Each structure stands twice: as structure tokens, then as C-alpha cells.
Amino acid sequence: MPHLTLDYSSRLAGVFDASVLVKELHPLVLEESGSAGVCKTLVRPVDTYVGDMSCEESGFVHVEVGLLPGRPEEQRARLAESVLALLGAHLRAAGAEAVCSVEVRELSGTYRLSTSSAP
């Protein structure tokens, strides 16, 4: 059920393989969050800025994990640390440097999911 968003500096698009990262990220998130179901992930190369440096000069990666409410903050923090470690390993393997961040948050009570395009 988890929803993941992976935003990264567009200059990193040719440096690391996001699809390989996602294949490792999904089982990690499911296991550490205790979630059932299937992860759904958006991967977006974007223009980023770190201080006054543009995405051409620096790298930035942010991963957001949205989970249904009910997990203790300590569990969400451990998941964030694990995702950060996996992300760092992928960037190092690709020879890339970037500022990285992860947020594990609870989805709001208004969250709804539909598996079809019908209203």
C-alpha cells in the first residue's frame, strides 16, 4: 500500500538507475513498515537547488514514503534511516554525490485509493 515519491536533480538522470533503486526500495519499505500490498512509486527528475547552486552544479535527492496511520514514530524513523542508507549506496555505486533526504509520513484520513479509472 505504501506510496513513494522519488524526486532527484535532473543532472543525476544519467548517473544512477532509478529503476534498480526502486526494485530494492519496494521490499525494504514493505518489510520495515509491516505494510501489506504493493508499493506505488513516482520517480521524477526535477530542477533542484542546494543553496545558490542549481541542479547543474549540485545534486539533491528526496524520497517521501506515505503510509497509513498507526506506526510508531520510532518505526518510521528506522525506515527513513534504511531508505537513506540504500539511497546513499546507490549514489556511491554510481559515483554520484548528492544531498539526500527522506521523509516517512502518515497519509491523511482523507486518503482514498481506486484501482480503476471509473469514478
Side-chain angles (χ1 to χ4, degrees):
M1 168 329 4
H3 289 257
L4 291 82
T5 304
L6 170 61
D7 291 315
Y8 62 95
S9 298
S10 53
R11 81 169 185 88
L12 296 173
V15 177
F16 83 104
D17 189 341
S19 66
V20 172
L21 174 63
V22 167
K23 286 179 184 175
E24 293 182 37
L25 194 56
H26 284 184
L28 178 131
V29 168
L30 290 173
E31 180 180 329
E32 293 207 12
S33 69
S35 290
V38 177
C39 290
K40 290 154 282 307
T41 303
L42 297 171
V43 178
R44 304 181 291 209
V46 294
D47 289 341
T48 61
Y49 295 85
V50 176
D52 292 338
M53 295 185 296
S54 70
C55 59
E56 289 82 25
E57 302 168 294
S58 67
F60 178 57
V61 181
H62 178 71
V63 177
E64 182 178 293
V65 180
L67 301 170
L68 290 175
R71 288 163 186 83
E73 187 167 341
E74 297 81 20
Q75 183 181 18
R76 293 190 317 259
R78 281 191 308 272
L79 174 57
E81 290 293 333
S82 295
V83 171
L84 198 58
L86 179 63
L87 182 56
H90 274 263
L91 289 167
R92 281 189 301 280
E97 291 186 24
V99 174
C100 300
S101 63
V102 177
E103 178 185 11
V104 178
R105 64 178 181 82
E106 291 185 337
L107 297 169
S108 95
T110 61
Y111 169 78
R112 301 293 184 270
L113 176 67
S114 173
T115 57
S116 69
S117 58

